[in-house]
Amino acid sequence: MGSLSNTEIGIPVIDLSSSNRDAPSQLLDAATKYGFVFIENNDVGVPTRDISDMFNLSESFFAAPVEEKQKISIASNQAGKNHGWLSRGIEKLDPATQQRADVKEALNIGEQKNGELQQPMTELLEPHIRDIKRFQDSCHKFCQRIFERLAEGLDIEISWFTSRHDRTKGPSGTVLRLLYYPHVGDLEDFDLRAGAHSDFGSITLLFQLPGQPGLEIKTPSGEWAAVAIDPHSNMDRNAQTNRTLPILVNIGDLLEDWTGGLLKSTVHRVIFPQSEEKSDRYSIAYFCHPLDDAELAPVPSKAVQDHATRTGKRNTRDGKVLTAKDHLMERLEATYSIK
Ligand SMILES: O=C(O)CCC(=O)C(=O)O
Ligand SMILES: [Fe+2]
């Protein structure tokens, strides 16, 4: 049996287009209060057509026979590489409390090097490599625009974050992840599609599909609250036709640490909502990370300094400043026992 869905939380929806002069402060406010924010998918957005093509590709990939997916399994990849297919039963995002592994499959696609993907693809995926790369590119652009507005909100140089996420300068841990949560017959009350966790990187873009709910975030009071798929769904009907859904964005642990805890990396999970437990869920996440060698010395913003002084939060280990790669390896080792 699935879980009863909790009440929806009103996550802010922000328009980042240049006509909205308040975007930087609205973004900072949402990132410090909720750690989650919806960003209107306009201007330099991710084309709606590309999003639906990616979901179609995801559906056909996960529907392929296990032997096919096995060919590019994460286990068959070199140790330490976070790329490839994860079968159901591999990942348990909240090992301390979960009785069974997450009920999901995933395909992790790493970033490009000199315009090429750096991992094997199956025959089914091969003809779509150009689409995958175009999708990665527009996701990254979208992230960079968010970083510019965040820098403005924090009153630091506008390129402070973007230069540290500039893919032309070197590798990073950025991953595009297609997720498939099948409905299952042997569901137990304690089963989760994704256990409680926070994301590792700087920011995550999340794409969801109408009619496939399940994402919940933990509120400061410790309660679970459901996240909408369309935050405008209460709008006047006429206004909704042909409207592009905003993109859900959340802050990851690295950015929380980098800002001395000012921006919040909020714990979230995916449940089997009782109303939809017979349905599959597909989602797509773009986990954006800084360049591997970016140093995580505190972001030089007065708001960050003031916050860190108040809370006494430090992001060094034994006085040493971590790089983004050190930070990611720490988290991957804790989750997957990768050596
Ligand atoms: O599928 C979702 O809605 C959320 C996925 C997620 O939180 C993750 O993969 O980190
Ligand atoms: Fe997540």
Side-chain angles (χ1 to χ4, degrees), residues 177 179 181 197 199 206 215 268 270 281 283 287:
R177 182 175 235 202
L179 283 148
Y181 305 94
H197 70 283
D199 294 350
L206 188 77
L215 179 64
H268 52 286
V270 184
R281 171 180 166 92
S283 67
F287 299 107

Side-chain angles (χ1 to χ4, degrees), residues 81-101:
K81 282 251 172 85
N82 184 23
H83 303 156
W85 176 63
L86 281 91
S87 60
R88 181 181 160 193
I90 297 258
E91 194 165 85
K92 200 189 245 186
L93 281 172
D94 184 13
T97 62
Q98 267 176 279
Q99 304 195 34
R100 285 210 286 200

Side-chain angles (χ1 to χ4, degrees), residues 32 259-262 264 302-314:
T32 53
T259 57
L262 177 65
K264 300 286 177 307
K302 180 153 188 318
V304 167
Q305 268 163 25
D306 290 350
H307 183 83
T309 309
R310 258 201 319 278
T311 59
K313 260 203 154 193
R314 292 270 166 283

Side-chain angles (χ1 to χ4, degrees), residues 172-193:
S172 80
T174 299
V175 167
L176 170 66
R177 182 175 235 202
L178 308 183
L179 283 148
Y180 167 50
Y181 305 94
H183 78 273
V184 288
D186 60 341
L187 195 61
E188 299 280 355
D189 270 347
F190 52 71
D191 276 328
L192 286 170
R193 286 182 147 161

Side-chain angles (χ1 to χ4, degrees), residues 19-162:
S19 57
N20 181 13
R21 311 267 306 257
D22 296 330
S25 61
Q26 291 172 345
L27 187 58
L28 188 62
D29 202 47
T32 53
K33 273 207 191 104
Y34 300 89
F36 272 77
V37 58
F38 280 103
I39 309 272
E40 293 290 3
N41 186 11
N42 52 18
D43 271 12
V44 214
V46 182
T48 323
R49 182 76 205 275
D50 291 356
I51 301 173
S52 57
D53 285 352
M54 209 43 54
F55 273 115
N56 289 338
L57 182 61
S58 173
E59 235 178 272
S60 17
F61 170 76
F62 290 113
V66 172
E67 307 77 61
E68 196 55 27
K69 297 185 274 192
Q70 198 68 50
K71 289 182 189 157
I72 57 165
S73 84
I74 201 157
S76 68
N77 223 316
Q78 296 153 321
K81 282 251 172 85
N82 184 23
H83 303 156
W85 176 63
L86 281 91
S87 60
R88 181 181 160 193
I90 297 258
E91 194 165 85
K92 200 189 245 186
L93 281 172
D94 184 13
T97 62
Q98 267 176 279
Q99 304 195 34
R100 285 210 286 200
D102 295 354
V103 183
K104 72 176 183 210
E105 295 179 32
L107 175 63
N108 285 2
I109 306 174
E111 62 187 357
Q112 306 161 31
K113 188 173 167 191
N114 302 323
E116 299 303 331
L117 294 178
Q118 298 299 302
Q119 67 198 86
M121 287 282 152
T122 63
E123 237 170 76
L124 184 144
L125 295 169
E126 208 64 55
H128 301 280
I129 288 179
R130 266 182 51 181
D131 303 333
I132 295 173
K133 292 196 293 191
R134 192 174 61 244
F135 192 75
Q136 289 176 317
D137 293 347
S138 37
C139 284
H140 206 77
K141 257 200 194 150
F142 200 83
C143 291
Q144 291 290 50
R145 190 171 62 135
I146 294 171
F147 286 131
E148 285 188 349
R149 297 291 84 79
L150 257 187
E152 285 177 320
L154 288 167
D155 201 17
I156 54 177
E157 204 183 312
I158 193 164
S159 62
W160 203 88
F161 289 115
T162 53

